[in-house]
Amino acid sequence: MQTTHLPGRGLVAAVISSLGIRHEGALGLVDTGLYLDLSRVLRNPADDPTMRFRTGLDDDVYAHVLKTPGALTLFNRTAVQLRALADEVPVGRLVRLTVVYQGGRHRSVAAAETVGRLVWEAWGGAYGVDIEHHHIDHPVLASSASA
């Protein structure tokens, strides 16, 4: 697992997890809070042989995902929902978002990073945000069509 920590002046208030839902045990990692399933949206970097074995933390893969029509709208709306949820919980309680796609290396990683940064920026750094990538280091999965 890899974690991006966006520090705040206060406590960590949000944890965003990216998962590869086809990995064994992935469903057990789904936590309370919001859930974003990217199964039917966003460009697939793995379709490009130059990006297949890279991750959503690589600049070109990240940009590829964000260039998908509607991606930024989706991520902005998700960030607004996460902030609204945070407004409803007592200070010191975490809000959570789980972002999933098949393998957890490309799209879910880029989405989790983007939403995390949007939330952190909206809070002006008042609270920290942790972004956990549970399957980023796992092997690339065969496409579900051939699996």
Side-chain angles (χ1 to χ4, degrees):
M1 179 171 72
Q2 289 186 26
T3 302
T4 300
H5 175 69
L6 303 174
R9 293 182 298 281
L11 300 170
V12 169
V15 175
I16 300 170
S17 298
S18 72
L19 304 177
I21 204 67
R22 286 180 48 209
H23 291 287
E24 186 175 335
L27 286 176
L29 296 171
V30 175
D31 209 330
T32 59
L34 300 176
Y35 182 85
L36 179 61
D37 182 349
L38 301 174
S39 293
R40 301 213 180 336
V41 297
L42 306 179
R43 291 183 179 146
N44 187 0
D47 289 342
D48 181 334
T50 65
M51 291 188 233
R52 182 163 177 76
F53 297 99
R54 303 187 70 206
T55 77
L57 295 179
D58 292 309
D59 290 341
D60 57 339
V61 175
Y62 182 85
H64 182 85
V65 171
L66 264 61
K67 287 180 188 173
T68 304
L72 287 175
T73 299
L74 174 63
F75 299 156
N76 277 304
R77 287 178 179 168
T78 303
V80 167
Q81 289 177 327
L82 191 60
R83 289 192 340 263
L85 182 60
D87 288 345
E88 299 303 320
V89 301
V91 173
R93 299 278 312 260
L94 291 173
V95 293
R96 296 180 182 276
L97 166 66
T98 303
V99 183
V100 303
Y101 191 68
Q102 301 297 312
R105 290 178 53 95
H106 302 103
R107 285 174 269 196
S108 59
V109 170
E113 288 286 328
T114 303
V115 172
R117 290 184 189 286
L118 289 168
V119 168
W120 182 75
E121 288 169 2
W123 284 338
Y127 302 101
V129 176
D130 282 345
I131 309 162
E132 303 171 339
H133 304 295
H134 290 270
H135 298 113
I136 194 168
D137 295 324
H138 283 56
V140 174
L141 297 174
S143 79
S144 58
S146 63

